[in-house]
Amino acid sequence: MITPTHTRLSLTAAVAVVAGCSLALLAPWQAAAAVTPPRADFNNDGRVDLALGVPAYADGTVTGAGAVSVLPGAAAGPNASAKLVVTQNSTLNGTALPGSSEADDAFGSATAYGDINGDGYGDLAIGASGEDDTAGHNDIGGITLLYGSASGFTADPTMYHLPTALRHNGQRCGTSLAVGDFNADGKGDVLSLCSGSSSVMWIDGATKAVRTNAGTVNPYAPIEGEDITTADVDGDGYDEAVLSVVNHDVGPRMTVLPGSATGLKPESAAQVDRAPAAWSLATGDVNGDGRDDVIGGSPYGGSGQGGAVVALYGSTTGLSADRSTTITQDTTGVPGSDEASDQMGYEVAVADVDSDDVDDVVAGVPGEDLGETDPYDADQGAVLVLRGRADGLTGEAATTYSAATEGVAGAAEAGDLFGSAVAAADFTGDGNTDLAVGIPGENTGDGTVLTLNNNTAGGMDTGSGLYFGPGALNAGAGSEFGIGRVLAP
């Protein structure tokens, strides 16, 4: 059994590739279509760049300050030799990041890509959920924005928080992030759920004004599991904000805040009836109808409590459990079985893995036990690839990958938690979707990330694997930073 810690993105939401993913068809009178965020490609070289958020990173002697390592895409996969390690003490293209590295800031607790300033380059939003303010509030959280360009990232000198009057200790804004275009102005707006309270904040991409719908999402704090994604689920041309909140006292809640010409409309927020208990969210089109669908990972779902993945299909009337598909490891075609604490769906990502023009779902199963009887084989972990089809998400032809899969370098070890984070994007620039998998338990908590390149036949070339451990942060073995809990895209 693994401890349910949950740091983010998402995206987008979720886990933060600069991808044209996650996060419709319009009549002439409707608003112009929301601009799809560019791929997670900060320098527009045609390859997705992988961002590793490491909130436990020690910046020198400052423990828990946090960092983000950006690995540019390359022909063989993410290029560690060209990595950029960013902390709150960094200066990028002559502009210093706001704030400074302080103990337990948890910079990198969430990441999300999108074109925030509308210049066509992928930008990166970074959460620091343990950030304090200068007014005496502790752990309110903050968001830093990095703008991509041909010459690399430039930092926004402002750190973004909730308005002062709405702040209180322990809010931890920035634990979940997503980028969408809520007013269809061509600039990405940054959405954050604050895990220590019921507050949601978003940053307008054009004006940088911070707005909030405090109290709308869940009046029963603290939140125990949560995530965010953005999607135009009703096809009106404006992205909606979709927020999933799990609280054991009141059950799961999924809230949709509609977009409009003036941005999000919290006063028109709608609850999704019989929503899944989703701890992770992602967006894509898994039935090929041209509308965004929302994928929820429910790691404690399923009849055996081994987890589930739920596809909620977009429509003109929004999301409904009546238009959904639930997949568990007991579903026909899915490898394995629904066993307690497998945590299928702990993280999810959506992309077209098999190049059939319908998106597929990658689901992490970090609690998967690969041994038959040996207790020391517990929590090695795995990932599942579920196929999208014209009639929706299916278990048919599902595939699984782990450190025990033939051809994958390394070994599956107890407590690795393979699949704690997942990302699916084209890191090599060949037009096919590759995988990135977080393994935060590797080497007793040092952690690592494994990438696998697509074999162009809808599967992964298991011999192409690249690992990114402490060296991706210029750190040594024994650092125990838990690399692999936060990925972007």
Side-chain angles (χ1 to χ4, degrees):
M1 180 176 181
I2 66 178
T3 304
T5 59
H6 201 62
T7 54
R8 278 305 195 247
L9 293 101
S10 290
L11 300 234
T12 307
V15 298
V17 182
V18 187
C21 57
S22 152
L23 347 305
L25 305 177
L26 304 177
W29 52 266
Q30 289 179 311
V35 174
T36 301
R39 303 187 324 164
D41 183 2
F42 71 85
N43 58 2
N44 275 1
D45 68 353
R47 298 183 175 109
V48 170
D49 307 312
L50 181 64
L52 315 181
V54 188
Y57 177 80
D59 191 4
T61 61
V62 183
T63 60
V68 173
S69 181
V70 180
L71 309 174
N79 183 3
S81 64
K83 65 181 178 291
L84 172 67
V85 179
V86 181
T87 73
Q88 287 183 288
N89 285 339
S90 296
T91 296
L92 302 177
N93 273 333
T95 303
L97 268 68
S100 61
S101 291
E102 298 168 319
D104 301 322
D105 273 353
F107 181 78
S109 53
T111 51
Y113 272 111
D115 187 5
I116 297 167
N117 60 4
D119 65 354
Y121 289 88
D123 307 318
L124 185 61
I126 302 173
S129 61
E131 184 73 25
D132 302 336
D133 68 6
T134 57
H137 300 103
N138 298 321
D139 297 337
I140 62 165
I143 298 169
T144 296
L145 305 180
L146 306 182
Y147 302 117
S149 73
S151 60
F153 283 117
T154 299
D156 187 322
T158 299
M159 183 177 295
Y160 295 91
H161 306 280
L162 277 171
T164 304
L166 297 176
R167 299 176 194 172
H168 62 74
N169 294 340
Q171 274 176 314
R172 292 194 171 274
C173 296
T175 46
S176 294
L177 293 175
V179 178
D181 190 357
F182 304 131
N183 58 2
D185 67 351
K187 296 183 178 181
D189 309 309
V190 181
L191 181 75
S192 172
L193 178 62
C194 308
S195 66
S197 72
S198 56
S199 297
V200 179
M201 62 174 281
W202 61 95
I203 305 164
D204 185 281
T207 67
K208 300 303 183 293
V210 175
R211 303 177 183 180
T212 182
N213 71 331
T216 302
V217 178
N218 185 354
Y220 300 97
I223 295 167
E224 296 165 358
E226 81 294 325
D227 202 10
I228 296 172
T229 192
T230 62
D232 184 9
V233 297
D234 58 7
D236 67 353
Y238 300 105
D239 281 342
E240 286 83 47
V242 182
L243 311 100
S244 180
V245 175
V246 179
N247 179 288
H248 290 170
D249 292 334
V250 299
R253 300 182 71 183
M254 184 174 289
T255 304
V256 179
L257 281 67
S260 73
T262 57
L264 288 182
K265 298 171 64 177
E267 69 277 8
S268 300
Q271 300 292 327
V272 177
D273 291 337
R274 293 172 285 117
W279 287 53
S280 59
L281 295 176
T283 300
D285 183 6
V286 297
N287 61 0
D289 67 352
R291 295 188 187 279
D292 287 341
D293 309 313
V294 173
I295 308 302
S298 182
Y300 303 103
S303 59
Q305 297 185 330
V309 171
V310 180
L312 295 156
Y313 303 113
S315 73
T316 55
T317 56
L319 300 177
S320 170
D322 293 331
R323 294 183 302 277
S324 66
T325 300
T326 299
I327 306 289
T328 73
Q329 285 186 282
D330 282 345
T331 300
T332 300
V334 179
S337 59
D338 183 4
E339 301 167 318
S341 301
D342 278 352
Q343 295 199 338
M344 175 184 174
Y346 187 79
E347 285 285 356
V348 290
V350 180
D352 185 6
V353 175
D354 54 9
S355 300
D356 65 352
D357 296 324
V358 180
D359 284 337
D360 310 300
V361 175
V362 181
V365 195
E368 181 76 9
D369 300 339
L370 302 179
E372 294 293 328
T373 58
D374 189 343
Y376 294 102
D377 288 338
D379 299 342
Q380 293 160 316
V383 297
L384 291 166
V385 179
L386 308 173
R387 308 295 172 173
R389 296 290 185 262
D391 57 353
L393 194 66
T394 179
E396 297 176 6
T399 53
T400 185
Y401 298 94
S402 72
T405 299
E406 184 177 357
V408 174
E413 300 168 320
D416 276 353
L417 308 181
F418 186 106
S420 291
V422 292
D426 181 10
F427 301 115
T428 63
D430 65 356
N432 298 298
T433 298
D434 312 310
L435 295 186
V437 181
I439 316 171
E442 176 73 12
N443 291 337
T444 63
D446 280 357
T448 191
V449 173
L450 169 68
T451 60
L452 295 172
N453 296 340
N454 197 300
N455 64 11
T456 74
M460 296 298 125
D461 177 2
T462 56
S464 68
L466 298 174
Y467 282 96
F468 304 96
L473 289 162
N474 298 324
S479 54
E480 298 184 8
F481 292 152
I483 297 167
R485 290 199 179 276
V486 182
L487 299 180

